[in-house]
Each structure stands twice: as structure tokens, then as C-alpha cells.
Amino acid sequence: MMKRSIAVITALAVLAILTPVWAGGAKDGSTKDTGPIELTIWTHEDVNRKVLEEKYIADFMAANPTITVKYVTYPSDKIQDIVQTGFAANNGPDIFNMEIQKAYPFLAEGFVAPVDLAAAGYKSYKAITDSYMQGMLSPVIQKDGKVYGLPLELTNWCIYLNKKIFRDAGLNPDTDYPKTWEDVMAVSEKLVTRDGQIIKRRGFDFRYGDYLISWLPMVEQLGGKLVSDDGKTAIINDAAWIKALQYMADFGPNGKNLGSPTYTAARKVFDSNKNEIAMHLSGLYQEQRMASANPE
């Protein structure tokens, strides 16, 4: 029987009440385990989050001595392939955590078990969705109406800016920051420096691998969608897509030459604070990394 996992998009703080639901089950095929249980968790690496997760796991095993948790971390850019390989070999993890755009194919293909209402402390799936902001859980709700994952990290995306670089370019960071995507391009033109065609300092650059985070919202703001409401037609409202894609073409090396996926990831360059980029898109978790990289 194919093993099904829970997509951790789920907080490890509630691991104790999730284990009876997503453990592999007894060898005779029943759903009740009578002996020692080993749970396997695969997650994308994050040194800050790992400290918290390891503490929760240690506390959980101390409270549940018959259960062992095998905790494994993988690089963020590798975990999707690793989880896919695990499922292909019928040896996937009991719990896994990855970004929703990477996790969604596993949900759609039926590799993931729905949230158990009693274990999670809810009376209905509607009660779960009502506990979150409208639409937040839409990607993990399948056609049967059940919820197939819960958030572990709520990233709260925002654009950070380096005030010193703004001032060096003659801009006031408190008033001249961009308010629209059109502003992002215009302000970037004032901040960028080049050696010929090679960018020495970017004004802003995108998270190029995160299409659903960086680009799809642009399309949706213009009235477009990724697929039709009935799920049968891809890329509807061509005008919105054409406008968004034209923006990216204008931004890139064959347009205004303001950024490119060939350069080091913007969030990593921003943390180093070496006058290489003025703005980047990230979550609130990035603040601690900035502080660690710049203690002074």
C-alpha cells in the first residue's frame, strides 16, 4: 500500500497530536500501532528554525517514549527532488515541509493525507479555514473539500531597502521608496551602476525561482489568473499575462538591464551589505539573517 504523508506546511509544535494520524500503521494493515513507532520528517534546511524544531522534537519524544522522530534536513533547492525520489521508491517521509509551490504536485497526485480533524483539534474543515485569513489555505484544499496541509512558516513578504545606497544615489529612503511595480523599475534605474553591460550594483532584483510568489501576483493584480475557475483552461486573460511578461522583459538584460537570474540571489547579496543591491524581496525571517551578517 502506498505510504501517504502529511505536508508540513504543519507546525511541529502540534506534532504530538498528529502522530497517530500519519504514522505508517501496523504491519497487518490496521490503523492502530501497538509497538514502537518511528516518524520520519524531511524538511528544508534553515539554521534558525532547526534550533526550534529540534527542541520541539526532543520535548515530544520525552513525553512519548515509544515514539522516535528521525529528523532530516535537505537544501531548499534539493528537497523537492529528494521527496519525489522517496515517493517513487515507496519510501517517502511521514511528514515533509517545503514551499507550497513545490509541495502542491504531491498534494495533487494523492501522496498526502488530509488533516485529521480530531487530532488537530477542529470539528470541521470549515473550522480550519475560518482560523486563517481568507484564501490562505486555498492551495491545500482538494476537490473533496478537505485540508491537506497547514502552514509552518508565514513569510509575510516585503521589500527591504538599504538606506545608505539610496542616499548615495541622491534619493531619500523615507520618501523615494517604490510604491508600485512601475516605481520599482523607475527607482532601480536611478540606483543601478554598471561596468559596460555588467551590473555592479542592482537597484532591485526578483526571486526568479519563486514564480508563484514573484510574478503570479502581478498577473492577479492586473485581473488575470493562472488557470480558469473550473481548472480546465490555463493562462486566461492574455492581456494581464502579456503586460506582466513585458515588464519582466523590460527589466531584464535585453531591456533596461536592471537584473537577471544569472547574478547571485538578491537576498544573499543584500545581507552582505557590500553596495551590490539596494532592494530585495524576502520574508520577515530575513531580518535576523541581516543582523547576523552585520552585527555592527
Side-chain angles (χ1 to χ4, degrees):
M1 183 171 64
M2 183 174 291
K3 187 176 184 181
R4 301 178 79 198
S5 297
I6 173 64
V8 177
I9 343 186
T10 303
L12 287 176
V14 298
L15 184 60
I17 59 173
L18 292 180
T19 47
V21 185
W22 293 289
K27 291 182 179 179
D28 63 3
S30 70
T31 58
K32 199 174 200 178
D33 288 286
T34 57
I37 299 170
E38 179 179 272
L39 288 177
T40 302
I41 299 174
W42 293 357
T43 182
H44 70 274
E45 62 186 0
D46 184 305
V47 294
N48 298 306
R49 195 187 72 242
K50 183 179 180 182
V51 175
L52 293 173
E53 290 177 338
E54 288 181 334
K55 178 185 182 300
Y56 287 137
I57 288 170
D59 292 345
F60 171 74
M61 288 193 294
N64 299 272
T66 62
I67 301 176
T68 300
V69 178
K70 185 178 179 182
Y71 176 73
V72 186
T73 62
Y74 295 102
S76 298
D77 60 346
K78 303 292 184 183
I79 189 169
Q80 183 177 21
D81 292 338
I82 291 169
V83 171
Q84 185 173 353
T85 300
F87 280 130
N90 198 26
N91 191 33
D94 296 294
I95 301 172
F96 68 92
N97 167 38
M98 65 177 71
E99 297 167 346
I100 183 59
Q101 66 265 32
K102 297 177 181 177
Y104 187 80
F106 299 102
L107 276 66
E109 291 299 322
F111 289 119
V112 179
V115 173
D116 182 272
L117 295 173
Y122 292 96
K123 293 183 178 180
S124 67
Y125 290 106
K126 184 179 185 301
I128 297 179
T129 57
D130 287 346
S131 299
Y132 293 88
M133 291 179 65
Q134 184 177 0
M136 184 177 289
L137 297 183
S138 295
V140 292
I141 298 175
Q142 297 296 293
K143 292 180 179 179
D144 59 8
K146 296 179 180 180
V147 179
Y148 282 76
L150 295 173
L152 170 63
E153 302 170 48
L154 303 180
T155 47
N156 297 310
W157 295 103
C158 54
I159 292 179
Y160 291 93
L161 62 88
N162 185 308
K163 290 187 175 183
K164 183 178 185 301
I165 294 178
F166 265 67
R167 294 189 184 105
D168 288 347
L171 299 175
N172 184 338
D174 296 321
T175 58
D176 295 332
Y177 60 87
K179 287 86 172 175
T180 67
W181 284 112
E182 289 80 5
D183 288 348
V184 168
M185 189 177 297
V187 173
S188 292
E189 289 188 85
K190 298 176 182 179
L191 294 164
V192 69
T193 61
R194 304 181 186 85
D195 181 3
Q197 291 299 308
I198 304 300
I199 299 174
K200 306 301 290 185
R201 183 178 74 193
R202 287 173 279 177
F204 172 82
D205 214 352
F206 291 88
R207 298 175 69 106
Y208 287 97
D210 297 332
Y211 312 112
L212 297 183
I213 294 169
S214 294
W215 300 345
L216 183 57
M218 288 184 180
V219 174
E220 292 175 336
Q221 288 168 354
L222 293 168
K225 295 182 179 181
L226 180 62
V227 295
S228 59
D229 291 337
D230 61 9
K232 296 180 179 180
T233 305
I235 308 181
I236 63 173
N237 193 338
D238 289 344
W241 277 96
I242 290 171
K243 187 171 183 178
L245 292 171
Q246 185 61 55
Y247 181 97
M248 299 307 302
D250 292 341
F251 190 90
N254 293 323
K256 297 179 183 294
N257 190 25
L258 298 173
S260 167
T262 61
Y263 292 95
T264 303
R267 63 188 185 279
K268 294 181 180 179
V269 174
F270 190 93
D271 286 355
S272 67
N273 193 28
K274 295 180 180 179
N275 194 36
E276 295 176 290
I277 191 165
M279 300 179 288
H280 87 301
L281 176 69
S282 194
L284 295 181
Y285 61 83
Q286 196 75 15
E287 293 182 9
Q288 185 56 51
R289 297 177 184 175
M290 296 175 198
S292 298
N294 302 276
E296 74 284 0

